[in-house]
Structure formats: structure tokens, C-alpha cells
């Protein structure tokens, strides 16, 4: 299934529990996925987010569980 009506939309996850769910959703609806690292890399390009995100993109954030919401808020902030 491909969603042609959601241009400029990406799927992201709350590290690391949301990765399997976000991967499945991104693949199922054929849109790109971003991966948030818990810590910024200390080598290479020192990325905090893997994947291409641009100003104006909509991001659907996938969380596997929610307790206090602290990790979700941290991911949104980054």
C-alpha cells in the first residue's frame, strides 16, 4: 500500500522501543523513516537523527509505551 496524499511526511520513533513499530508502519505505507539516537554520535558526522528531514516535513512519532511521557517529549524536542 502506498499513500500518495502524504507528501513530506516521515515516520520517527522514540528510541529504542518504537523502532520495530515505526519500521513496520513506514514500510506498510511506503514513507521514509527517521531514526532518533539516544545520544549524539561522537564520531563521523555526529548525527543525532538518521534520515533526511527538512523544514516543513510532517513527522509521525511512534512510541511503544507511554508512562510519564518524558522520552516522547525529549524526542520531540530533538
Amino acid at each position: 500500500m502506498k499513500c500518495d496524499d502524504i507528501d513530506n511526511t516521515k515516520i520517527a520513533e522514540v528510541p529504542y522501543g518504537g523502532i520495530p513499530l515505526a519500521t513496520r508502519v513506514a514500510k506498510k505505507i511506503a514513507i521514509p523513516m527517521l531514526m532518533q539516537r539516544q545520544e549524539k554520535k561522537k564520531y563521523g558526522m555526529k548525527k543525532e537523527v538518521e534520515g533526511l528531514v527538512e523544514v516543513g516535513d510532517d513527522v509521525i512519532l511512534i512510541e511503544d509505551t507511554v508512562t510519564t511521557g518524558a522520552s516522547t517529549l525529549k524526542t520531540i524536542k530533538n
Side-chain angles (χ1 to χ4, degrees):
M1 176 165 70
K2 182 171 171 47
C3 295
D4 293 327
D5 60 335
I6 54 173
D7 292 336
N8 302 325
T9 300
K10 308 288 192 309
I11 296 285
E13 92 300 330
V14 175
Y16 284 102
I19 292 174
L21 296 170
T23 302
R24 178 68 178 137
V25 170
K27 183 175 172 130
K28 183 72 175 173
I29 61 177
I31 62 175
M33 182 176 154
L34 307 170
M35 190 176 117
Q36 171 77 34
R37 296 180 173 276
Q38 281 189 320
E39 290 184 21
K40 189 180 205 179
K41 286 175 34 177
K42 294 178 173 42
Y43 56 90
M45 296 182 73
K46 300 181 180 178
K47 290 184 174 183
E48 200 165 352
V49 176
E50 295 292 338
L52 181 62
V53 63
E54 299 176 6
V55 174
D57 286 350
D58 292 319
V59 178
I60 300 169
L61 185 62
I62 305 289
E63 169 67 288
D64 64 330
T65 59
V66 177
T67 51
T68 65
S71 58
T72 302
L73 294 172
K74 181 179 177 185
T75 301
I76 291 169
K77 190 176 182 181
N78 290 331

